[in-house]
Amino acid sequence: MSKITYHVGLDYHQHSIQVCVMDKQGNIIQNATRPNDWRAVAEVVPEGGTVFAAIEACCGAADFAEELINHTGWSVNLAHPGYVARIKQSPDKTDWADAKLLADLQRVGYLPKVWLAPENIRELRRLVRYRQQQVNHRRNVKLRVRALLRDQRAKSPAGFTAKIHSHGSLRAVVIKGQASYLSHEDSEGKVMSPGSYFHSQGESTHHVSTDGNSDCIIYVRSEGKFDVIP
């Protein structure tokens, strides 16, 4: 006797999942909301059948799909959310309808699938996304600082040489051009390009100079007083 085949559509949310179970004729056996837990979802599907499930690719969906595969043995496919939305073309935006559509697309073989990457690849993707977010944040901060400096018309002229004497916490970053830098703690100076920075706590002296070819913009932020001594 052959096993009964069930097609399951999963509309994924952070705290709940809408589960639609269909037979191979397209009859809805159940369409219910369950907590975001693989055990609660598995309880909706009758035991003893072969299960093919579909879930839209979104944040957290891949991890949940892998849990279902490992614990239940189901065949779980990730669906491309953009293509699913084009196929739907319906004003009905309820979770009930979305889960039903996923189950039906899985049943008739029209599900627009995407690759379910293994855990190590997903972790690398998360790291890359996080790094890109930090890079974007740094770029946005630099753009805001540059806009502020342009608004104040503040820049170090070519050939500028000075000592920055800080009396508290001080942070500085080179926004444009190049500067030569030497602190009272260093024996040798260094050339600072855009993105380079220096900082200090308490009483400290920083020697900064620019070459004679181009202007240099340095953003300085201090939590106490500081003096610029030419």
Side-chain angles (χ1 to χ4, degrees):
M1 182 178 178
S2 61
K3 290 185 177 180
I4 300 174
T5 299
Y6 298 108
H7 300 278
V8 180
L10 304 171
D11 189 41
Y12 184 89
H13 299 278
Q14 182 177 0
H15 301 295
S16 65
I17 297 177
Q18 187 74 25
V19 185
C20 179
V21 184
M22 279 186 181
D23 60 20
K24 62 181 180 180
Q25 285 77 33
N27 301 311
I28 297 177
I29 298 172
Q30 190 166 181
N31 196 337
T33 303
R34 289 293 182 267
N36 189 330
D37 182 84
W38 71 267
R39 299 174 187 84
V41 171
E43 290 175 354
V44 180
V45 182
E47 296 182 359
T50 301
V51 180
F52 297 93
I55 183 171
E56 279 189 349
C58 61
C59 183
D63 291 339
F64 185 76
E66 189 168 66
E67 283 187 359
L68 282 174
I69 293 171
N70 293 336
H71 291 95
T72 66
W74 293 0
S75 173
V76 183
N77 293 309
L78 289 183
H80 192 294
Y83 287 127
V84 170
R86 293 179 188 178
I87 294 172
K88 184 177 182 180
Q89 294 185 346
S90 169
D92 189 350
K93 302 296 184 182
T94 62
D95 297 343
W96 193 96
D98 289 344
K100 176 179 177 294
L101 175 64
L102 288 170
D104 209 22
L105 291 174
Q106 176 68 59
R107 181 182 68 87
V108 299
Y110 281 179
L111 186 74
K113 301 176 184 178
V114 296
W115 180 46
L116 175 56
E119 172 60 27
N120 62 323
I121 299 298
R122 298 201 301 272
E123 181 61 27
L124 286 174
R125 287 176 173 177
R126 281 189 283 266
L127 289 174
V128 171
R129 282 196 299 267
Y130 178 73
R131 182 185 183 280
Q132 187 60 49
Q133 290 169 0
Q134 298 306 307
V135 170
N136 292 340
H137 177 68
R138 182 182 67 177
R139 183 185 66 246
N140 292 335
V141 170
K142 289 174 67 175
L143 290 173
R144 289 197 296 269
V145 170
R146 286 179 178 177
L148 176 63
L149 293 174
R150 284 197 303 269
D151 185 57
Q152 299 297 321
R153 302 177 63 83
K155 60 183 178 180
S156 300
F160 172 81
T161 300
K163 292 188 295 183
I164 300 177
H165 183 68
S166 59
H167 305 278
S169 174
L170 181 140
R171 296 177 177 84
V173 60
V174 178
I175 304 299
K176 179 182 178 182
Q178 286 191 336
S180 297
Y181 171 76
L182 177 67
S183 73
H184 68 283
E185 299 176 348
D186 299 328
S187 58
E188 296 183 0
K190 59 182 179 180
V191 177
M192 304 183 69
S193 56
S196 302
Y197 63 91
F198 59 88
H199 61 89
S200 63
Q201 296 286 340
E203 296 284 337
S204 185
T205 301
H206 309 271
H207 298 265
V208 180
S209 63
T210 61
D211 59 35
N213 298 322
S214 60
D215 295 337
C216 179
I217 298 177
I218 302 175
Y219 174 71
V220 179
R221 179 175 180 177
S222 175
E223 296 180 3
K225 293 183 179 180
F226 68 93
D227 306 307
V228 179
I229 306 171

